[in-house]
Amino acid sequence: MSVSQQLEEIRKAAMGELDGTNNARELEAWRVRYLGKKSQLNEVLRSLSRLSLEERKAVGAAANRLKADLENELSQKEQAVRQDRLVASAGERGIDISLPGRSFRAGRLHPVTQVYHEINDIFISMGFEVVEGPEVEWDYYNFEALNIPKEHPARDTMATLWIDSEAESGGRSRLLRTHTSPMQIRVMEKVRPPLRIVVPGKVYRYEATDATHIPMFHQLEGLAVDEGITMADLKGTLYEFARRFFGEDRKVRFRCDYFPFVEPGVEMAIECAVCKGEGCRLCGSSGWIEILGAGMVHPRVLERVNIDPEVYSGFAFGMGIERIPMLRYGINDIRLFYGSDLRFLRQF
Ligand code: PHE
């Protein structure tokens, strides 16, 4: 029998026998028999030196090929045997490993937080910078510097949670900020125009809770001050925001309003998502929901922070953040956001 015939015989025998093995012990015996030191194959490899150079080339290549093939088959068979054992032992313990895995519930951002990021991003893309400020605020920033002195009736519209009583504080009372507007003053005290900022954050009001009122909610303040800023800039910016957030076809309405720190002042309303303008509980049957107050920064406010109102002008706006997802998704009760009901929260 020629050497190459011999190699063929080895191959046939090895492959045939490998088929019949089905555990680790048998595999090891097979390995010793066909790939071990005393195997026929090894003998052939060792005897190569006795052959002529030409024979050695041909036979050597064939023998090495056979060796690689056998090793390859062995490792595949080993894997199959291991897999079979795993399945069998799982079966003995009553585990069906062919069942799909159980998925787990991942956490997610609160709908108000999601919208908060989204609104910030829209204003960032228009060149505004995001800043934040303190929730415990001085009377001065929350009211006084915003043109709302002690006896001003506008204070009544913002039911305030006071931290110090008037008497204790000697006129320097602290409070929980009732709006984000105090940050207008804080920023303008430090930064000279041109400036464009938005200020998102929590605000507090001492109010009875109902479908549209809760004592803590979020606002986003906007402020732009530069030479030559007009009401057209204010409207353009807010239209653009509404278009991007609510879509092209949602109606927007501006009407005159009064805030002591702007002149003139406006309110912006959006067509109600629940009734599409027909009138419902959410919009108080008007078909519109007011989402923000705005206006041109009052000259007296600019003077207070030493910005010359003869040279500079600005616009400001403040919107209620919770209202925005309510409008977008048609949510009819603001309390749902803070009721921690996962059936509600998981929808976003
Ligand atoms: N701070 C006002 C409010 O909370 C909203 C507002 C902000 C109005 C800026 C005008 C300009 O009602």
Side-chain angles (χ1 to χ4, degrees), residues 158 178-181 184 205 219 221-222 259 261-262 266 293-295 316-318:
M158 290 193 176
T178 58
H179 52 175
T180 41
S181 302
Q184 289 187 29
R205 293 197 195 166
Q219 281 192 339
E221 192 81 10
F259 303 94
F261 39 95
V262 289
V266 294
F317 60 88

Side-chain angles (χ1 to χ4, degrees), residues 59-279:
V59 176
N64 278 321
R65 211 178 312 123
L66 177 59
K67 189 175 180 199
D69 288 349
L70 293 184
E71 280 168 350
N72 193 15
E73 288 294 320
L74 175 65
S75 90
Q76 279 182 20
K77 185 72 186 189
E78 274 171 345
Q79 235 177 337
V81 164
R82 224 177 295 136
Q83 180 69 20
D84 286 349
R85 216 184 41 215
L86 197 69
V87 173
S89 82
E92 281 156 25
R93 284 177 286 143
I95 298 167
D96 180 354
I97 63 168
S98 68
L99 282 177
R102 251 179 233 142
S103 65
F104 55 89
R105 284 218 160 106
R108 66 192 72 200
L109 293 179
H110 190 279
V112 171
T113 311
Q114 290 180 29
V115 166
Y116 189 104
H117 290 317
E118 212 181 312
I119 299 175
N120 283 348
D121 287 346
I122 292 176
F123 284 105
I124 289 168
S125 79
M126 291 197 259
F128 286 76
E129 195 179 323
V130 178
V131 294
E132 287 180 89
E135 289 167 32
V136 174
E137 189 52 281
W138 298 105
D139 178 321
Y140 177 78
Y141 290 108
N142 197 83
F143 292 128
E144 203 72 35
L146 287 166
N147 214 14
I148 314 174
K150 284 264 141 48
E151 306 308 329
H152 198 288
R155 289 198 177 207
D156 294 344
T157 65
M158 290 193 176
T160 308
L161 287 154
W162 292 95
I163 289 178
D164 310 307
S165 76
E166 183 85 70
E168 276 169 353
S169 64
R172 273 175 60 82
S173 313
R174 286 171 306 170
L175 47 79
L176 292 179
R177 66 179 177 189
T178 58
H179 52 175
T180 41
S181 302
M183 277 302 284
Q184 289 187 29
I185 307 297
R186 285 183 178 271
V187 169
M188 287 192 290
E189 275 181 347
K190 295 215 183 75
V191 186
R192 297 289 91 184
L195 65 92
R196 264 179 292 178
I197 53 148
V198 285
V199 189
K202 291 188 170 76
V203 301
Y204 301 84
R205 293 197 195 166
Y206 183 58
E207 276 177 343
T209 298
D210 63 28
T212 51
H213 297 90
I214 43 175
M216 183 286 300
F217 56 100
H218 294 78
Q219 281 192 339
L220 179 111
E221 192 81 10
L223 175 70
V225 184
D226 199 353
E227 287 178 44
I229 288 201
T230 70
M231 194 78 182
D233 297 308
L234 163 64
K235 285 181 82 175
T237 304
L238 294 176
Y239 264 132
E240 177 64 12
F241 162 73
R243 211 176 52 73
R244 285 218 225 155
F245 193 90
F246 295 107
E248 308 274 344
D249 48 350
R250 220 33 193 289
K251 287 191 192 125
V252 174
R253 180 187 78 182
F254 283 95
R255 293 212 298 200
C256 292
D257 202 347
Y258 170 75
F259 303 94
F261 39 95
V262 289
E263 179 56 36
V266 294
E267 58 141 69
M268 184 172 103
I270 294 253
E271 192 184 25
C272 178
V274 173
C275 63
K276 299 271 175 311
E278 295 280 304

